[in-house]
Amino acid sequence: MVAAGAALVRQRFPAYTADQIAAQLRQTADPIDAVAGNATFAGRLGTGRLNMYRAVAAPAREVRVTTTTFTPLRRAYAPGTTLRLAATVQNMLLPVAGLTVTLTSLSPHLAVVQGTFAVGDLATMSTADNLATPFAVAVAAAGVPLNTTATLRYRLTAADGYQTDQFVELLLNPDYVTLDAGDLSLTVTSRGKLGYDDLAATLGDGATYQGEGPLLSEGGLLLATSPTRVADRLRTSGSNIRQSFFQVAQIGFAPAGPRADQLARGAFQDTVPATAGAPARSVGVRVRQRAYAWASATRKDFVVLEYTLRNLTADTLKPLCAGLFMDWDLPTAPGLNAAAYDTTRALGYCYDPIANRIFAGVQLLRGGAPAVYSFDNNAPAGSPVRLADGFSPAEKYLTVSSGTARAQRTAGLPTGADVSQVVGTRLAQLAPGDSVLVTFAVLAARSLPELQAAADASRLTYATLLPARAQPGPQASPPSPTPPPGPCAWSYLPASASPKSKC
């Protein structure tokens, strides 16, 4: 019906552009906010119901805000943030006189500091902006619920009673931070997810490299001590997420100091297993997380993630496995990536085997025995891990606990597939009340040699700028010695345990 109406308007006003035809239809529509049942949605139902008689009777008037530029530009804004909005308005139809744009907050958590833009007269198809004196808005410093959507209203008024409204929505007090000091930008959430806190990719800024992305479909921390005792916030089946972790302290930026250009920290945990007969399905670990990023040329390609794991149970966790699950979707063809593993650097990575535009991966910097598991998400039925039919606790435990066997190091070769990879570590045990530090670097680069150079730089940075804090319990130990030369295969376990020979 609307398409037919647009055709009639085009016939009546042949000089109109497509945008002007749309404007004519909007401004001649019948308002429906007062219709029974619509009161709750007043102001959110567009301009109303199509009125074709009015649409072809005479030219109307419409001025619209065509673009809004936010400074700083974020997908979400933390409490206490002040932001500026530069608006561009365009007159689509008949000339207007005395145009004013007024910005109003419809949220108690968002205050308009400067909210008036006096445009004046505006001719047909002319534009104006308030770049010189933008709107200013302040987010409340306290009391903002997590992931709150706040609405701003533009009200455009002009001579002879012209008035129209437009709306802008902002996400406030997000349950995540985005570390973007360097070329790699990565969202870290309060509950162990990376990239996004949801599968719909709406809560978070994802992962980008030099502005290109998104690169990561899903990522997050995975903890396990058996095939049935697993803790994570990763997919299960369909569009469902396992809800193991809950927030203890919301993640947020802290003063970085001399260690890094950006520092974020928070805490979360899973539930403590029941002790009265029911089988344990959780791990019972509290996680304190820290994330670091740098702007310097030698450190701009990685973000370091520290996880301090504390055993909250009355039992020794034997073993305790921790890893990062990463479902990379890299350009040029996100569903045609390959996964590989650099044993020397404990570096798992993914790339497009045809275009080789971006390499991205995870490196184990501190922990126990390394682990890697690369797999095709759409592997045939009967495969050990197959995300096409869900990601079960047993599959998650397999990916994080199976060491670095050669068959697990690669996936998607030679032409690419929809691959995922888990890079992790297996700790022999964690006694009740004890803590252990596990550290990863998330990296990206334009080539494999550059990714390997970034991995070397991240290890050096971690050893020099982020000296390990003393950890209670049996896992704390001096940094590892350099493995001696020789024909033996060595597992290099930096800063947590001595290297172990496999001779």
Side-chain angles (χ1 to χ4, degrees):
M1 182 180 293
V2 175
L8 291 173
V9 173
R10 169 61 64 87
Q11 186 177 28
R12 175 69 173 81
F13 305 104
Y16 277 8
T17 66
D19 288 339
Q20 288 178 298
I21 291 172
Q24 180 75 6
L25 291 172
R26 282 192 296 266
Q27 294 306 313
T28 56
D30 295 326
I32 59 173
D33 284 354
V35 173
N38 286 352
T40 304
F41 309 101
R44 304 299 180 87
L45 297 172
T47 56
R49 183 173 49 235
L50 195 66
N51 185 325
M52 284 312 306
Y53 175 79
R54 294 179 60 198
V56 299
R61 293 187 297 172
E62 182 180 86
V63 185
R64 292 183 64 79
V65 177
T66 55
T67 61
T68 299
T69 302
F70 295 88
T71 304
L73 179 59
R74 295 284 187 270
R75 183 174 290 197
Y77 294 90
T81 301
T82 297
L83 56 148
R84 301 188 182 279
L85 289 73
T88 299
V89 297
Q90 183 174 25
N91 181 14
M92 306 303 298
L93 298 172
L94 292 176
V96 295
L99 177 66
T100 298
V101 183
T102 304
L103 185 69
T104 303
S105 171
L106 303 184
S107 167
H109 309 297
L110 201 58
V112 175
V113 179
Q114 197 294 103
T116 303
F117 173 23
V119 181
D121 300 344
L122 203 60
T124 300
M125 298 305 291
S126 294
T127 62
D129 63 62
N130 65 342
L131 286 171
T133 311
F135 298 117
V137 179
V139 183
V144 183
L146 288 175
N147 301 320
T148 294
T149 298
T151 302
L152 294 169
R153 181 187 67 202
Y154 288 121
R155 175 156 287 177
L156 295 83
T157 57
D160 300 323
Y162 176 79
Q163 178 178 306
T164 189
D165 293 338
Q166 289 178 248
F167 300 88
V168 178
E169 290 187 338
L170 302 177
L171 182 64
L172 308 181
N173 196 19
D175 205 13
Y176 60 83
V177 297
T178 299
L179 292 100
D180 56 3
D183 284 349
L184 174 63
S185 173
L186 179 68
T187 289
V188 182
T189 79
S190 289
R191 292 180 287 181
K193 292 296 291 285
L194 301 175
Y196 306 102
D197 197 45
D198 61 339
L199 294 180
T202 60
L203 295 175
D205 297 316
T208 63
Y209 181 69
Q210 295 178 342
E212 189 170 358
L215 308 178
L216 185 63
S217 174
E218 184 186 13
L221 182 67
L222 172 60
L223 302 177
T225 190
S226 76
T228 58
R229 293 183 62 182
V230 176
D232 62 271
R233 190 171 160 76
L234 303 172
R235 70 184 78 177
T236 54
S237 61
S239 58
N240 298 314
I241 289 179
R242 186 177 172 91
Q243 303 286 347
S244 300
F245 294 135
F246 61 90
Q247 180 199 120
V248 174
Q250 182 182 357
I251 194 167
F253 284 110
R259 289 183 165 192
D261 295 305
Q262 287 180 319
L263 164 63
R265 57 192 180 195
F268 56 93
Q269 71 176 64
D270 70 341
T271 58
V272 177
T275 57
R281 300 189 183 279
S282 59
V283 179
V285 169
R286 176 172 294 177
V287 182
R288 188 181 71 210
Q289 62 176 341
R290 292 172 178 254
Y292 304 87
W294 295 265
S296 60
T298 57
R299 303 183 182 112
K300 59 185 173 57
D301 290 341
F302 57 85
V303 171
V304 170
L305 303 174
E306 284 186 335
Y307 300 101
T308 302
L309 312 178
R310 183 185 179 193
N311 182 0
L312 300 178
T313 75
D315 300 317
T316 298
L317 300 175
K318 296 191 297 185
L320 175 60
C321 302
L324 293 183
F325 164 83
M326 308 294 271
D327 183 359
W328 296 105
D329 282 343
L330 304 177
T332 304
L336 294 175
N337 294 164
Y341 185 67
D342 181 335
T343 56
T344 302
R345 296 176 173 84
L347 168 66
Y349 60 94
C350 291
Y351 61 100
D352 181 337
I354 306 301
N356 289 339
R357 283 177 56 188
I358 293 180
F359 288 70
V362 173
Q363 178 187 29
L364 175 65
L365 292 176
R366 179 183 174 94
V372 65
Y373 205 103
S374 309
F375 54 93
D376 182 349
N377 295 345
N378 299 309
S383 299
V385 180
R386 182 174 184 264
L387 298 195
D389 58 6
F391 200 10
S392 70
E395 289 175 318
K396 292 172 180 176
Y397 178 74
L398 176 68
T399 63
V400 78
S401 65
S402 299
T404 59
R406 186 175 299 275
Q408 302 164 189
R409 298 176 190 172
T410 61
L413 295 172
T415 58
D418 185 9
V419 300
S420 291
Q421 189 176 60
V422 174
V423 174
T425 181
R426 181 185 178 100
L427 302 159
Q429 63 180 30
L430 187 63
D434 278 352
S435 298
V436 62
L437 184 63
V438 174
T439 308
F440 301 95
V442 179
L443 316 95
R446 290 291 175 181
S447 68
L448 180 56
E450 290 177 357
L451 188 75
Q452 292 170 327
D456 294 340
S458 71
R459 189 177 297 283
L460 178 62
T461 298
Y462 187 64
T464 55
L465 292 185
L466 303 175
R469 289 170 291 281
Q471 297 295 311
Q475 295 293 334
S477 64
S480 310
T482 302
C488 300
W490 289 79
S491 295
Y492 183 37
L493 313 180
S496 66
S498 299
K500 297 181 180 180
S501 172
K502 296 182 181 178
C503 295

